[in-house]
């Protein structure tokens, strides 16, 4: 599996540049990373349990923590921090970016959002917590 040689977060453009030792290089929207987080909060606990992520257009990465020699854990501005992105998973996101983005848009449309409105920030309601996820009780499984 290729190993990253570069990983740069660009807050203004909300993208990540990632280059690998096999010569592949990708520019990934942070929104794509967030909506395809490998966490149980996003992926569910099995096939068919994926949770459609809404309102992530303006999400940025506040910090990146290394995870051993095999990946990273981004800390997203919406409080999400439970996904561990392996090098293999990041490579897959980069190499399949167009298909994954199309799938995301199809799921938004199937959920009733016109155009890309499901990507717009969702206002916080009183009592609503940022982040959460599996293990915190907010996913409903604990």
């Amino acid at each position: 599996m290729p190993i990253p040689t570069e990983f740069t977060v660009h807050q203004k453009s909300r993208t990540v540049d990632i280059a690998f030792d096999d010569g592949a290089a990708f520019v990934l929207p942070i929104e794509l990373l967030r909506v395809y987080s490998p966490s149980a909060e996003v992926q569910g606990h099995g096939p068919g349990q994926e949770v459609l992520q809404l309102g992530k257009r303006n999400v940025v990465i506040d910090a990146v923590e290394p995870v051993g020699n095999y990946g990273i854990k981004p800390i997203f501005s919406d409080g999400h921090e439970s996904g561990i992105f392996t090098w293999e998973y990041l490579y897959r996101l980069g190499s399949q970016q167009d298909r994954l983005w199309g799938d995301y848009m199809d799921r938004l449309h199937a959920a009733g959002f016109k155009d890309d409105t499901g990507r717009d920030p969702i206002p916080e309601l009183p009592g609503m917590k940022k982040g959460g996820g599996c293990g915190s009780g907010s996913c409903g499984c604990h």
Side-chain angles (χ1 to χ4, degrees):
M1 186 72 238
I3 305 296
T5 57
E6 175 190 342
F7 187 90
T8 306
V9 177
H10 301 281
Q11 300 292 24
K12 193 171 187 178
S13 64
R14 291 189 295 276
T15 59
V16 169
D17 291 341
I18 186 164
F20 290 87
D21 61 1
D22 70 348
F26 308 105
V27 177
L28 297 171
I30 292 173
E31 181 181 5
L32 182 79
L33 295 173
R34 177 59 182 86
V35 302
Y36 280 102
S37 170
S39 72
E41 176 186 351
V42 174
Q43 298 299 323
H45 292 284
Q49 294 183 3
E50 297 84 2
V51 178
L52 180 60
Q53 302 296 298
L54 302 173
K56 304 304 178 188
R57 182 191 310 260
N58 295 330
V59 170
V60 294
I61 294 175
D62 290 335
V64 176
E65 297 177 0
V67 178
N69 291 322
Y70 64 90
I72 58 164
K73 181 175 96 168
I75 311 299
F76 293 94
S77 61
D78 67 349
H80 180 72
E81 58 181 66
S82 60
I84 296 175
F85 290 73
T86 64
W87 304 142
E88 182 178 0
Y89 191 70
L90 286 166
Y91 196 94
R92 183 170 81 82
L93 289 176
S95 63
Q96 297 179 17
Q97 179 176 179
D98 291 340
R99 183 188 63 76
L100 292 169
W101 191 260
D103 288 349
Y104 175 54
M105 294 305 295
D106 289 346
R107 288 185 290 135
L108 287 175
H109 295 158
F113 293 95
K114 292 183 181 183
D115 301 316
D116 64 355
T117 57
R119 297 176 55 220
D120 293 332
I122 297 172
E124 285 190 35
L125 301 173
M128 189 177 194
K129 292 183 181 178
K130 284 177 86 176
C134 191
S136 70
S138 67
C139 72
C141 64
H142 300 279

